[in-house]
Amino acid sequence: MTGSTQESSSLSSRLDTSVAHSARRYDYWLGGKDNFAADRESGDAIAAAFPTIRLAVRENRAFLRRAVAVLAEEAGIRQFLDIGTGLPTANNTHQVAQAIAPQSRIVYVDNDPLVLVHARALLTSAAEGATAYIDADLREPAKILNDPELHRTLDFSQPVALMLVAVMHFILDEDDPYGIVRRLVEALPRGSYLVVAQATYDPLPPDTVAALEAANARGNPKSRPRSRAEFARFFEGLDILPPGIVSVAEWRADNESQPRPSFVDISGYAAVAQIP
């Protein structure tokens, strides 16, 4: 059996299409084709309770684009660690960063075997830069930080932007979300950045929250939306950039089409902070 055949066999054994996965459900909401019936069923259940979910996921992608552009253009960041990558779509981190600075180096991390199948698209780098992909789970930060591919691609003596966009709400309280983020941040050099966007119930009426909680209880993967105060805990000890903690749709969005989507329609917080 060849290496590629062995890899395909291993991926096939891990790919459970009967259970929804966050990356494939996200792909479904974005209008992609790399999803299965379980992903669509889960996605439709959430959309029934929160009809603007597709707008929300598009705004998450737009926030990622803006955050990468700001860090590359204004902060001079040339290294990005993007965890919870998802399936390739427009304006992936390396595409945005390398369009500004071709020498940018990006490491993607995800645990969906289907994302790994598509990693070749993610690994298409500008000649001056580099991209790599690590098959790992955010719940195992030590595995990510100790991966040889990470250290072959990124220089941890220089600042790194840690991207956690639309992934932390899948880390439940029992998985120690704050400990995970702290472990990752502590591994980065001074001058690095933390970028987080995550779902919240804060602006939603009680009936919408109840419907979403019911869909969450029935479905998979489970999610844990967080309040503004809970979201702010991810940035303890860091210097949050202007405009602070705001709606995903409002972060540095002056050049986006106006008016911006409402906080109720997006129901997600975003912020970027520097490690002092």
Side-chain angles (χ1 to χ4, degrees):
M1 183 180 290
T2 66
S4 60
T5 303
Q6 288 175 327
E7 180 184 50
S8 297
S9 177
S10 174
L11 291 174
S12 297
S13 67
R14 288 174 49 197
L15 184 60
D16 185 355
T17 61
S18 67
V19 177
H21 190 282
S22 57
R24 302 194 302 263
R25 188 172 65 188
Y26 205 84
D27 175 77
Y28 171 58
W29 284 329
L30 287 172
K33 298 179 180 179
D34 294 304
N35 50 75
F36 300 95
D39 308 307
R40 297 188 287 273
E41 181 180 353
S42 174
D44 288 342
I46 292 174
F50 185 55
T52 56
I53 184 63
R54 289 175 174 83
L55 175 62
V57 298
R58 290 196 301 271
E59 286 297 327
N60 270 293
R61 292 300 299 184
F63 163 69
L64 181 145
R65 169 179 51 79
R66 296 194 302 272
V68 171
V70 165
L71 293 179
E73 289 178 334
E74 299 181 13
I77 295 297
R78 299 293 179 260
Q79 303 190 111
F80 296 83
L81 174 56
D82 185 339
I83 304 179
T85 300
L87 288 152
T89 183
N91 295 315
N92 297 296
T93 296
H94 76 283
Q95 293 169 322
V96 178
Q98 291 182 346
I100 295 165
Q103 70 272 34
S104 297
R105 305 175 73 83
I106 295 89
V107 172
Y108 292 106
V109 181
D110 206 291
N111 68 337
D112 184 350
L114 192 60
V115 176
L116 183 57
V117 169
H118 288 272
R120 291 181 185 87
L122 288 170
L123 299 181
T124 303
S125 170
E128 301 92 328
T131 58
Y133 178 86
I134 297 174
D135 179 20
D137 194 312
L138 175 55
R139 297 172 185 83
E140 301 175 307
K143 180 180 178 181
I144 296 170
L145 293 170
N146 292 327
D147 193 288
E149 195 64 39
L150 178 69
H151 297 279
R152 277 194 292 267
T153 309
L154 304 184
D155 176 2
F156 274 64
S157 70
Q158 300 297 317
V160 175
L162 171 61
M163 312 290 298
L164 299 172
V165 177
V167 65
M168 289 310 302
H169 42 251
F170 297 116
I171 306 300
L172 306 182
D173 291 346
E174 56 263 36
D175 295 319
D176 190 18
Y178 301 109
I180 289 170
V181 173
R182 184 170 58 251
R183 175 72 182 87
L184 292 167
V185 167
E186 288 175 347
L188 303 179
R190 294 178 63 182
S192 293
Y193 288 85
L194 172 65
V195 179
V196 188
Q198 101 127 68
T200 183
Y201 286 152
D202 281 0
L204 300 179
D207 57 338
T208 301
V209 173
L212 282 169
E213 282 292 277
N216 193 33
R218 293 192 304 269
N220 184 75
K222 305 299 183 188
S223 65
R224 170 61 163 89
R226 293 186 168 90
S227 68
R228 189 184 191 285
E230 291 171 325
F231 180 76
R233 284 186 60 192
F234 290 123
F235 300 93
E236 288 181 352
L238 308 183
D239 298 330
I240 299 180
L241 274 59
I245 296 172
V246 295
S247 166
V248 167
E250 296 292 344
W251 195 90
R252 302 283 184 99
D254 290 347
N255 294 326
E256 300 281 10
S257 60
Q258 303 292 332
R260 303 302 297 137
S262 73
F263 188 27
V264 174
D265 286 343
I266 303 306
S267 202
Y269 287 116
V272 177
Q274 186 175 32
I275 299 172

